[in-house]
Every structure is written in C-alpha cells, then in structure tokens.
Amino acid sequence: DTRACLAQCCPTTCALAAGMADKLREFVQRLSSNMPAGGGGGLGRALGLGVVGLSGLAYGSSACLFNVEGGYRAVMYHRFGGVQERVRNEGTHIVLPWFQRAILYDVRAKPRMIQSLTGSKDLQMVNISLRVLSRPDTMFLPTIYRELGTDYDERVLPSIVNEVLKAVVAQYNAAQLITMRESVSQRIRVDLLARAKEFHLVLDDVSITHLSFGKEYTAAVEAKQVAQQEAERAKFIVDKAVQEKKSTIIKAEGEAKSAKMIGDAVRDNPGYIQLRRLEAAREVATTLSKSANRVYLDTSSLLLNVTDRNDVNLETLNDQRAAAAATSETAAAATAAAIA
C-alpha cells in the first residue's frame, strides 16, 4: 500500500531513483566484467555490496519523499496517531515509509449538474436542473477525510441539493417560479450555502439552468393562451362592428344633411340646378378633350345644352314667388284688420 501510494503521489521521484539504481547496477556489472579472472573476487563482492547499498539508499530516498501537485492538498495518515490535523500544501514533503500515508485531495472547483423533480405550492410538478460549482474547505480536509472520505461530493451534494430545492420550490406557485426566477435562485443559493457549510464545503456558484413543468400543466397554459387570444379577437370583432355601425350612421346622417341642404338650395335658388349642369358639362368636356378619338355627340344627351331654358324658367319662378309673397302679405293685413 505504501509503495503504491508513494508511486501515485510522487511518480517523478520514484522514476528518478529507479533510474539511478539501474545505472549503478549496470556500471558495476561492466566494471566486474573488465577485471581479470581470479584476482578480483573480493573487490567484486565489495562492489556488489556497494551497489546493493546504493540501490537501497535510492529506494529509501524515493520512499521518503512525495510531491503535492498544483491544485491539490495532502492529508497525512499515521499508523499509530491516525489522521493528522496538519494539511500539506503544494510541493515536496517527507514521509516515513510504512508509518505514514499521504491522501491527496483536489481542491479546485468542480461543476456538478443535479436534477430534481419536486412540487410547487399549487401542486404542480416541476423539473429543475441546478448547476453547482463546489470545492472542499482546505482548513477542514482532515475532518472531511475522517467523516466523509475522498468521495465527499457524491455523498453530500445530491442529498442537500434535493432537500433545499424541495423546500424552496414548495413556497412558490408555478407562475411565480417563472416570473420570480431570480428571487427563487437567490433563495436556493442562500439555503444551499448554509447546508453545505455544515459539511465544510464551499459553493462558488449556484444557478438554475433548466426549469420545466409537466405535460398537463404545459397543455393547460397553452389552452389558456389560445382562449385569451380568441377572446381578444372576438373583442376586436365587436369593436370593429360598433365602429362600422357608427360610421354607417354618421355617413347616413351626412348624406341626409347633404340632401336637405341641396333641397334647400334648390328651393331658395333655382339657379343652383343650372350651376350643377354647368359643372357636369365642364367635366364631360374635359374628359372628351383628353380622348384621342373623334366624337360627335348630341348636346342634349350630354347635358351640354346649358343655354336651354325650357326645363327651368327662372323668370317665371321668380314672378310666381313674388306673387305668392304679395298674396301672403295681403292676407295677413286683412286678418289683422278683422281682428282690430
């Protein structure tokens, strides 16, 4: 166990020591092969012992050292004293073979995605995905190793995240989870930080990445939106009909008023008809003048006989009007005299 742990903790040192031992062994073998036969037995044995000693020294030096890489911390376990409270930082450290063992912890922030299916305040099922960026508190690494082990995140995060999510989401209804998403996320973050602190974990970031509802609720929301749109459309149609009715009434009133005004103009001044005939004749003449064809027309059919006075005799109408006015004045004077 000690050799495997040391090989994992300081592979560079172990490889260097093994290389030095191999080189010394090869050197002694070459030196022994070059010595004359029969005269160097004692020297060969001495060199062999030296090689063994140097190899043991190299192995011992490699077994007594271990490295802590960047972003890691080491907790020391002693066979007679248990887990030591001192945490080893980055660098090379001394370890007693067989008596001590180094346990490495990655203290860099690690992301983790956790999904939870919970119920809202109005009993709607909500599927929430939460992204948590966590790391261990380096001051409490011995306590974490003693109580949770090296897989602390697998043991702690799923349980506390689900607990906090269910407790917070149950305080909001489905509509509030959408409209107040920032407030919900902040509440989850505060509660989750408090729970993680009990296990000596540091959460650098907590965010809601996905939030969805059940199929029934989603279908109900879509049906509600469709109904609201249809209601708005019906309201628009009613308003349009009312406006069209008002427009028709106003147009009819305008036409009636226009007809009354025309009737009053004809009654008070018969020359109004002649004026309209002149305007019509001018429009017809303008249209014909722009035509490239030669046209021969009757003036009577196109209202161009503006000098014809057979239809409306203005002098006769004026004389009749004056006679009617004189008769009315005479009748009024006779009535007044009879009364007197």
Side-chain angles (χ1 to χ4, degrees):
D1 295 340
T2 305
R3 292 181 180 180
C5 181
L6 290 173
Q8 181 180 4
C9 297
C10 49
T12 305
T13 305
C14 292
L16 180 61
M20 292 174 60
D22 292 339
K23 289 182 179 179
L24 286 173
R25 190 179 299 106
E26 292 177 0
F27 174 73
V28 172
Q29 290 178 356
R30 287 198 302 267
L31 184 61
S32 300
S33 61
N34 293 330
M35 293 180 62
L43 181 60
R45 285 193 296 270
L47 290 176
L49 293 175
V51 169
V52 173
L54 290 176
S55 300
L57 180 62
Y59 175 77
S61 63
S62 65
C64 293
L65 298 176
F66 73 97
N67 291 334
V68 179
E69 303 295 336
Y72 286 81
R73 297 292 186 273
V75 176
M76 300 301 297
Y77 172 77
H78 199 282
R79 290 186 180 272
F80 300 106
V83 180
Q84 299 179 359
E85 295 299 329
R86 180 190 170 193
V87 178
R88 269 63 172 181
N89 296 324
E90 301 170 359
T92 303
H93 303 273
I94 299 175
V95 63
L96 297 177
W98 191 84
F99 290 99
Q100 290 180 326
R101 177 164 52 92
I103 300 95
L104 296 180
Y105 273 90
D106 187 357
V107 296
R108 294 171 293 186
K110 293 182 293 185
R112 185 180 181 88
M113 188 73 67
I114 300 175
Q115 295 183 353
S116 177
L117 182 63
T118 181
S120 62
K121 187 176 181 181
D122 52 354
L123 304 181
Q124 298 294 335
M125 299 307 297
V126 185
N127 188 9
I128 299 181
S129 297
L130 196 70
R131 182 180 183 272
V132 180
L133 201 61
S134 63
R135 57 184 174 85
D137 191 348
T138 56
M139 299 296 295
F140 297 94
L141 283 179
T143 304
I144 293 175
Y145 177 71
R146 189 180 297 112
E147 297 179 355
L148 300 175
T150 55
D151 56 343
Y152 59 90
D153 52 346
E154 294 287 344
R155 298 187 179 188
V156 175
L157 287 179
S159 59
I160 65 174
V161 168
N162 280 280
E163 176 189 356
V164 171
L165 283 177
K166 292 181 183 298
V168 174
V169 172
Q171 302 177 11
Y172 298 89
N173 55 39
Q176 290 175 341
L177 290 176
I178 298 176
T179 58
M180 302 173 60
R181 181 166 180 169
E182 183 177 357
S183 177
V184 175
S185 178
Q186 185 66 24
R187 180 69 179 277
I188 293 174
R189 176 184 175 86
V190 172
D191 293 353
L192 197 56
L193 284 174
R195 289 287 289 131
K197 191 175 181 181
E198 300 176 3
F199 297 93
H200 310 296
L201 299 182
V202 180
L203 303 183
D204 294 332
D205 181 64
V206 177
S207 58
I208 299 176
T209 58
H210 180 70
L211 190 148
S212 61
F213 299 92
K215 295 181 179 179
E216 294 79 6
Y217 181 78
T218 304
V221 171
E222 292 178 356
K224 181 180 178 181
Q225 294 295 328
V226 171
Q228 289 180 352
Q229 292 178 0
E230 291 179 352
E232 292 293 332
R233 179 176 178 81
K235 183 179 178 181
F236 171 76
I237 293 175
V238 172
D239 293 341
K240 182 180 179 181
V242 171
Q243 295 298 327
E244 289 179 352
K245 179 180 178 181
K246 291 181 179 180
S247 176
T248 303
I249 293 173
I250 294 174
K251 184 178 180 180
E253 291 177 352
E255 291 178 353
K257 187 175 181 180
S258 176
K260 185 176 180 300
M261 292 176 65
I262 292 174
D264 293 341
V266 172
R267 185 187 67 241
D268 297 337
N269 187 8
Y272 178 76
I273 297 177
Q274 292 295 106
L275 178 61
R276 297 301 298 270
R277 293 179 65 181
L278 287 172
E279 292 177 353
R282 184 177 60 184
E283 292 178 359
V284 172
T286 302
T287 303
L288 294 177
S289 64
K290 293 180 180 179
S291 176
N293 301 324
R294 296 183 179 273
V295 182
Y296 297 94
L297 299 174
D298 186 8
T299 56
S300 298
S301 60
L302 294 177
L303 302 178
L304 296 178
N305 51 344
V306 295
T307 59
D308 189 7
R309 299 176 58 87
N310 294 328
D311 295 337
V312 179
N313 194 342
L314 298 179
E315 294 180 357
T316 302
L317 289 175
N318 291 333
D319 293 341
Q320 291 177 357
R321 186 177 298 172
T327 304
S328 177
E329 291 177 357
T330 305
T335 302
I339 294 172

